[in-house]
Amino acid sequence: MSAVRIGGASGFWGDSATATPQLLDVPGMQYLVYDYLAETTMSILARARDKDPALGYATDFVQAAMAPQLSRILERGIRVVANAGGLNPLACRDALAQAAARQGLAPRIAVVSGDDILPLLPGLRESGVDGLPEAPYSANAYTGARGIALALAQGAQIIVTGRCVDSAMVLGVLAHEHGWAWDEWDKLAAGTLAGHVIECGAQATGGLYTDWQSVPGWDNMGYPVIDCAADGSFVLSKPAGTGGLIAAGCVAEQVLYEIGDPASYLMPDVTCDFRHVHVTQLDADRVSVGGARGRPPTSTYKANATWRDGYQLATMLAIRGPAARAKADKTAAALLDRSRRMLREHGLADYRETCVEMLGCEALYGPHARHLPTREIVLRIVVRHESAAGLGFLQRECASAGTSMGPGTRSSFQGRSDIQPVVRVHSFLLPKTLLQEHVLLEDRVIPVPPAAGDAQPAHLAAAQAEPETERDEPAATPDEGPLATVALQALAWARSGDKGDTENIGVIARRPEFLPLIRRQLGAEQVRVYFAHLAHGPVERFDVPGLHAMNFVLNEALGGGGMSSLRSDPLGKSYAQMLLDHPMQIPRSWIEHGWIAPS
């Protein structure tokens, strides 16, 4: 069968509105997929639905992506798959149908339902599942691709899902188009890889690339286009005339993004092994990707429950002039001391948590910060309390810093900061037998066939990965000649991202010859020590020989992660950038040979 052409039109809720029109200009486009959901997004949607039961979905999908382009999409016969439904896929469908009707259009819109497991929580709590909230906002399972493939087979032109896994949208398309069986594990893993590479939009086409200086046209970043063959291998490109960059290194970064153990990337439809994935630069405009392997999936879905847990206030003040850091330190202490005194005077408890960051002083770098004198700082103070009233004192008192504290203080950027409810997330495993998905299309309700009976517990799925042969990598020897010190960035690309409170950092050698030296000098213990001020759990290192790479997993590394973290980088996007400064000892001959530019 010929390759299937799919465009990745959204990487998150809030992504650029330019993606859809540029992808519609690509000849032969067959599908557009839109990824809107993350754990943080689900928390935001829960808060929105709590205020208005008609909300709880990604409104940008209807208003910015579909409505302006719907006529072109339908005229060209392009089909759309989006997880924009969030917590309220029926409302998303209805809003889209209304927008279409106003244009005289009537697309066949299907909803894949079944991920909402809120009614199951009481029974799960009684059965002994720990940590479930007593008063949940929402609860959803991360479902797979079967419902999407079924909806396509039923003739749907647009498919709206709830909390399916991000890559399932592409896998559902490929399983339908290529007729894959649900036990063709290598093909399902390859389709999952294809979805994983484009699920974050322009991250695959130059966005967040380590070598950002080489990426042109940020004002018109090209979004990813993949042509997927029947065996699951694919070629990645972008629309002609757009900015961005098609580079093997950038795609390799995205392959490792947030995957944990690359030998056991657990998805609802398949357990993926990405250790031998290969990325090959075909020419300046195309990269080929293949080599994924698969095994049977687990017998459980990942599931999340959200609930309200107090309130939060984040405020920022700009402080300039000589000794800016000292003034900021004194300002933060004064504001916290004053507001705490007011809490006591009103019989209220102390703050649950506080966080003070000096943005402009490399606050997140900890002991690795370069303490250069600065005359400009943004003081960020974040506090949590069980009640909104408990945050009102600091909210109001911050303004006084502009006249009664350090000179050169601007005490407000946009008026008083808002007090926000805190929505926390609890993750757990849900037996697949407890969930039934349906496709809702027009007046029909079509059951989705259940997962295959060969699903297995997660620990067994992980254990079945074939072990890697231990490589014999000798230590550096004197005949390598004089040594030089360079930053890791001279040797490698890297990208980082979050899964709850767990941080992933993928490190890819720029040349295969660099990998043995990187492995010798950058082990799990070195990374643990380097991030000891941020990560409080164990660190694991996984090898990815196909990419000449390693993936580091840092546990308890994000202050709770997502909406639970008070840090200015709760998703760990900057961790790879910090690690790239790690000093490395290399043979000076590498510089003389032109492999590495002198620093």
Side-chain angles (χ1 to χ4, degrees), residues 203-219:
Q203 279 188 197
T205 51
L208 305 190
Y209 188 28
T210 299
D211 294 346
W212 57 270
Q213 304 96 325
S214 64
V215 181
W218 288 11
D219 62 307

Side-chain angles (χ1 to χ4, degrees), residues 43 48 72 170 179 185 196 285 294 407 418 571 592:
S43 299
R72 287 184 69 194
V170 169
W185 308 123
H196 175 69
D285 300 315
D418 291 335
L571 307 181
E592 296 167 354

Side-chain angles (χ1 to χ4, degrees), residues 102-115:
R102 288 192 289 270
Q103 302 178 49
L105 303 172
R108 303 187 74 204
I109 307 172
V111 169
V112 181
S113 70
D115 65 291

Side-chain angles (χ1 to χ4, degrees), residues 25 70 79 87 92 103 159 184 319 323 347 362 405 450 465 580:
D25 288 337
L70 191 54
R79 303 170 86 173
L87 299 178
C92 183
Q103 302 178 49
I159 300 171
E184 292 187 274
I319 299 176
E362 302 191 357
M405 296 185 185
L580 284 169

Side-chain angles (χ1 to χ4, degrees), residues 270-513:
V270 61
T271 297
C272 301
D273 184 345
F274 290 166
R275 289 175 297 178
H276 300 286
V277 167
H278 49 82
V279 178
T280 305
Q281 191 84 41
L282 299 178
D283 53 42
D285 300 315
R286 298 178 305 148
V287 164
S288 70
V289 184
R293 301 293 302 274
R295 305 190 302 280
T298 71
S299 57
T300 54
Y301 292 113
K302 176 185 175 181
N304 282 345
T306 65
W307 76 100
R308 176 181 285 183
D309 185 26
Y311 295 84
Q312 178 172 302
L313 173 74
T315 186
M316 294 195 294
L317 300 82
I319 299 176
R320 298 180 175 90
R325 172 62 190 264
K327 286 187 289 188
D329 285 333
K330 191 169 183 177
T331 300
L335 288 171
L336 288 174
D337 288 346
R338 181 187 297 181
S339 58
R340 279 179 160 132
R341 186 178 69 245
M342 291 178 169
L343 287 171
R344 293 192 298 270
E345 290 170 350
H346 287 78
L348 296 174
D350 193 5
Y351 297 122
R352 285 184 178 179
E353 296 178 74
T354 66
C355 177
V356 175
E357 292 182 317
M358 305 295 175
L359 306 182
C361 291
E362 302 191 357
L364 209 62
Y365 281 78
H368 312 298
R370 295 167 182 165
H371 296 289
L372 299 176
T374 180
R375 295 174 294 177
E376 185 174 68
I377 288 175
V378 174
L379 168 60
R380 181 175 181 267
I381 305 174
V382 192
V383 291
R384 283 210 179 124
H385 201 274
E386 61 189 17
S387 70
L391 300 177
F393 305 112
L394 181 62
Q395 181 192 43
R396 182 180 61 252
E397 292 300 318
C398 280
S400 71
T403 56
S404 65
M405 296 185 185
T409 297
R410 180 181 179 183
S411 58
S412 173
F413 282 88
Q414 294 178 328
R416 288 184 179 179
S417 300
D418 291 335
I419 296 172
Q420 301 282 356
V422 175
V423 179
R424 291 190 182 269
V425 177
H426 173 68
S427 299
F428 60 99
L429 297 178
L430 178 79
K432 288 180 175 176
T433 55
L434 298 181
L435 189 147
Q436 175 61 62
E437 291 184 272
H438 293 88
V439 171
L440 312 177
L441 179 59
E442 297 166 339
D443 59 350
R444 292 181 292 157
V445 179
I446 309 161
V448 178
D454 48 13
Q456 56 192 312
H459 71 281
L460 293 180
Q464 286 189 356
E466 295 180 6
E468 285 292 313
T469 302
E470 186 69 24
R471 291 185 292 273
D472 182 19
E473 293 175 352
T477 56
D479 59 12
E480 290 179 311
L483 299 179
T485 301
V486 299
L488 175 63
Q489 185 166 351
L491 305 176
W493 300 292
R495 183 173 295 171
S496 57
D498 68 306
K499 284 296 181 187
D501 197 21
T502 299
E503 172 72 355
N504 281 242
I505 308 176
V507 176
I508 306 108
R510 292 176 181 270
R511 300 173 63 105
E513 298 92 335

Side-chain angles (χ1 to χ4, degrees), residues 512-548:
E513 298 92 335
F514 293 168
L515 182 60
L517 182 144
I518 297 172
R519 288 189 80 254
R520 288 197 300 268
Q521 297 185 32
L522 199 67
E525 178 61 14
Q526 285 92 341
V527 172
R528 186 196 66 79
V529 171
Y530 196 75
F531 286 103
H533 63 292
L534 296 173
H536 306 300
V539 174
E540 302 168 275
R541 185 182 76 175
F542 300 98
D543 286 324
V544 192
L547 297 176
H548 312 294

Side-chain angles (χ1 to χ4, degrees), residues 541-566:
R541 185 182 76 175
F542 300 98
D543 286 324
V544 192
L547 297 176
H548 312 294
M550 304 178 293
N551 197 46
F552 293 93
V553 177
L554 291 66
N555 295 280
E556 300 174 40
L558 296 169
M563 299 289 283
S564 299
S565 177
L566 301 186

